[in-house]
């Protein structure tokens, strides 16, 4: 019918959002723990997503849970990237 999906969502009272991370990468020197990638270029992407109708962003952090994990390296790395993502998203839409 030519109506954009995002416009149909808004008309139905649904707030559109988007996943902005670029996947996981292993943290060297850990027991298979990962960090989320995607801060590079995030500000520009957020501006584009906002213009396209997105009003919130999703970023994931994966923690491996065991007797020895999460490590302090993983906790610091993922906390830092979550905080930076939040700040960048808020500044750009």
């Amino acid at each position: 019918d030519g109506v954009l999906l995002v416009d149909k969502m808004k008309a139905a009272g649904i707030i559109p959002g988007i996943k902005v991370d670029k996947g996981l990468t292993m943290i060297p020197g850990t027991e298979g723990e990962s960090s989320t990638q995607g801060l590079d270029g995030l500000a520009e992407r957020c501006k584009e997503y906002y213009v396209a109708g997105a009003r919130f962003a999703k970023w994931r952090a994966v923690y491996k849970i065991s007797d020895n994990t999460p490590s302090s390296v993983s906790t610091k790395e993922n906390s830092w990237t979550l905080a930076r993502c939040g700040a960048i998203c808020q500044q750009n839409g």
Side-chain angles (χ1 to χ4, degrees):
D1 63 6
V3 179
L4 295 174
L5 178 59
V6 70
D7 293 331
K8 289 184 177 190
M9 292 172 67
K10 288 179 186 177
I14 299 169
I15 301 171
I18 189 162
K19 179 181 89 73
V20 296
D21 71 71
K22 290 185 172 182
L24 303 173
T25 188
M26 290 296 143
I27 302 172
T30 67
E31 295 182 24
E33 295 177 285
S34 61
S35 174
T36 308
Q37 302 297 293
L39 291 175
D40 53 308
L42 180 58
E44 294 77 21
R45 293 194 318 273
C46 283
K47 290 175 187 176
E48 293 172 10
Y49 300 147
Y50 189 85
V51 169
R55 292 300 178 262
F56 71 90
K58 174 189 171 286
W59 182 277
R60 63 186 165 156
V62 177
Y63 289 93
K64 182 177 178 182
I65 307 297
S66 74
D67 290 340
N68 302 318
T69 59
S71 66
S72 61
V73 171
S74 172
T75 302
K76 288 176 186 175
E77 174 68 17
N78 281 300
S79 297
W80 186 85
T81 57
L82 283 166
R84 290 289 299 137
C85 173
I88 292 168
C89 288
Q90 288 180 353
Q91 289 174 340
N92 294 283

